[in-house]
Structure formats: C-alpha cells, structure tokens
Amino acid sequence: MSKKIEREEVSSRRKLLVSAAGVAAGAAGAVLASSSAAAASAVSTSGAGAEKRTINSITTKDGTLIHFKDWGTGPVVVFSHGWPLQGDAWEDQMMFLASNGYRVIAHDRRGHGLSSQPWSGNDMDTYADDLATLMDTLDLKGATMVGHSTGGGEVARYIGRHGSKRVAKAVLVGAVPPQMVKSANNPDGLPMSVFDGIRSGVLADRSQFFKDLTIPFYGYNRPGSKPSQGVRDTFWAQGMQCGIKNAYDCIKQFSETDFTEDLKKMDMPTLIVHGSDDQIVPIDTSGKAAAKIVKNAKLIIYEGAPHGLPTTHKDKLNADLLAFLKS
C-alpha cells in the first residue's frame, strides 16, 4: 500500500472519529488539515521544539504507518494501549504526567486508531517490533514503559525481544501476561470458549459487541457503579477505529500468547497494578501470577476496581505512577 493511500485512509478514519465526537464541520476541517499535515511530516528527533510536537507518525519496515502522540519534556514515559482502543485511551495519564514534568508518548498499535490497517503482521512479535522502531527512531533512553491489558503484553514482548537498553522502569496495568487462555502450562486460565465468543461477537456485530463490552470493562454492572455514557461512547468510537481484521487477529495475540519468558527478562523495577474485580483479565492468573515471575516487581491491588481502571480510577493511578516515576 502506498504512503499516499495510507495517509488518505488515516485522514478518512480521523474524520469519522471527529464527526462521532460532534465537532462542528467547519472547525473539524481546520483541525483535520492541521493534523494531516503534521502526520505526513518527517519525525523530528532533536530536543529543540520537542515540546511543540503533538501528532506524528513513523513508517515500519513493512510500510505500516504508526501514529503516535508526543507531549511535554522531561523523563520519557511510553504508553501501550489495550484492545480494541488506541493511544488516546491513556489521555488522563498523559495529560497529568506531561503537566508534571514528563515527556509522554503513546502510539496507536498497527490496525488500531489512526495507524494503518495492514492485512498481515497482526501478531505480538510485530507489535513489539513496531514499538522498537518508534523508540529507536525517537532515540528514547531511560524510558518508563507503561502497558494496559494487551499493551502490557506488548511491553513484556518488547523487552523480551529487544532488551532493556532503552528502558529504566516498567508498569503493567490490568495486563494480560503471563497468559490468559487455559493450557497445559496455565491450568487456571480462561477456557478457549471465552475467546471464541469474543471472535464471534466481533464478526457478528462488532459495533454492538463493543457497546456491550463497556459494561463489564468499566464495572458498570456492579452495585453502586455510576455508568458514564460519555466513557462508553468514547470506548465505542475508539473501538470502531480499529480495523475488523486487525481486531479479530489481535484476540488470539492477547489471549494465547505466553509471556512467561518475556517476564523473566524484565530485570528493571516493575510496578504491577490490577483491579481485584477485573472481569476481563482476572487478577489471579494475570497480575498476581506476573508479580511472582518478574524479579523486581511491586504489586498494587485496587480493591473493587474494574479492568478499565485507567479511567475509573484515574486519580489513584496517576498518583501511583508519579510516585513510581520519582522513586
């Protein structure tokens, strides 16, 4: 696929998202023109003017366009998002940390958000390699990598494949490692039928499936919860930005990938945050299990918190992230 076609595709999906958000047509045109120009521009790796960079893209070796945001100055924090979302899922943490003296970077995984939607390469190794391309292109050093859900697997696989020469610390939030599906090596995992159900939902009516998924994702089915229609709409809008083939392929990656050996290579200080009431990635076979494998892990359990805790418990997570970064 040519870069011109990819950029037209990105521009088209950006227009859809802006429209869904209800932005006036005239204002949207100006925003889209500015964003497209920024995305098409070459990536600057110099320190000067870095604080002005808000939207950029890189191209991987197979021609996939990876969109990312890069805000602020200071020590670097790199975010990896969950399925089927995009880098904007971290906006609460990025806004907070950039306002507190950190440079924050979040990319849209291939097939997700405003990145290209390639037919192939939708696997965890390639996700990690795309992230390596981003970090190498920006020449990031001493970074703290933060991953939520599938993004936590991406962080672990990055370190497993590319080492920790650019990484000072890591944070796994509601993350999928070491492995989600039940197997001989993971007898307490979830049955394959759970993930087959997700695949069926995506193929049958993914728009409705994403809307329904927001209920357990954010714990809105629990007594005393206060569902936010805005949060649910945002999840749906981001999910619909993900290509259906990319979304479908990614299910196998977050459910079946065994990250055990990757976790063993994480020798840097690592914070593991997990909600005790995570209905998507159960804590016993994920957060608690990962904490037993990672050498320098600290596990913090948010009592009663759901999978989408970066949103529902953003103030607590922001404070814990800042404390960990400063430690």
Side-chain angles (χ1 to χ4, degrees), residues 101-302:
Y102 290 86
R103 179 184 176 188
V104 294
I105 299 169
H107 68 294
D108 295 350
R109 187 174 302 114
R110 64 169 52 213
H112 297 63
L114 299 180
S115 292
S116 298
Q117 297 182 358
W119 184 260
S120 59
N122 304 299
D123 60 84
M124 195 58 65
D125 286 352
T126 306
Y127 297 157
D129 292 348
D130 290 346
L131 181 53
T133 299
L134 173 64
M135 295 186 67
D136 291 345
T137 301
L138 297 180
D139 193 23
L140 304 179
K141 299 174 182 177
T144 295
M145 301 186 74
V146 184
H148 175 241
S149 196
T150 303
E154 183 179 86
V155 167
R157 182 52 53 91
Y158 168 88
I159 294 170
R161 284 175 67 83
H162 300 279
S164 57
K165 64 180 181 179
R166 296 188 180 277
V167 186
K169 297 180 180 181
V171 183
L172 304 180
V173 182
V176 298
Q179 188 179 32
M180 287 194 70
V181 74
K182 183 177 182 179
S183 67
N185 295 327
N186 187 37
D188 296 323
L190 297 173
M192 182 63 75
S193 59
V194 172
F195 305 106
D196 287 341
I198 297 174
R199 276 183 274 265
S200 296
V202 168
L203 291 179
D205 184 350
R206 71 184 181 118
S207 179
Q208 188 61 51
F209 179 79
F210 289 157
K211 289 183 178 182
D212 294 342
L213 182 59
T214 60
I215 298 299
F217 193 96
Y218 295 108
Y220 289 156
N221 55 345
R222 298 309 198 205
S225 65
K226 298 180 180 179
S228 165
Q229 191 60 47
V231 167
R232 297 186 66 194
D233 289 347
T234 296
F235 182 102
W236 175 86
Q238 290 188 22
M240 293 305 292
Q241 287 284 95
C242 184
I244 187 169
K245 174 63 160 57
N246 313 102
Y248 185 87
D249 287 356
C250 191
I251 297 167
K252 179 180 179 65
Q253 303 309 310
F254 71 65
S255 63
E256 298 181 40
T257 304
D258 187 343
F259 298 98
T260 302
E261 295 304 314
D262 302 304
L263 294 176
K264 291 179 180 179
K265 295 179 181 179
M266 295 177 65
D267 56 358
M268 70 290 296
T270 302
L271 176 64
I272 298 177
V273 176
H274 217 104
S276 67
D277 192 31
D278 191 325
Q279 300 172 67
I280 308 298
V281 182
I283 186 172
D284 288 338
T285 55
S286 51
K288 289 182 178 179
K292 295 178 181 178
I293 300 172
V294 178
K295 297 180 181 69
N296 299 310
K298 176 183 179 182
L299 173 63
I300 298 180
I301 299 174
Y302 288 13

Side-chain angles (χ1 to χ4, degrees), residues 17-84:
L17 184 61
V18 172
S19 177
V23 178
V31 172
L32 291 172
S34 175
S35 298
S36 297
S41 66
V43 174
S44 171
T45 58
S46 64
E51 67 277 11
K52 297 179 181 179
R53 189 192 302 118
T54 56
I55 300 178
N56 280 301
S57 64
I58 59 167
T59 302
T60 66
K61 62 183 180 181
D62 70 352
T64 298
L65 189 81
I66 301 295
H67 169 274
F68 69 96
K69 289 186 176 181
D70 185 350
W71 298 342
T73 57
V76 180
V77 184
V78 179
F79 292 93
S80 290
H81 63 81
W83 177 93

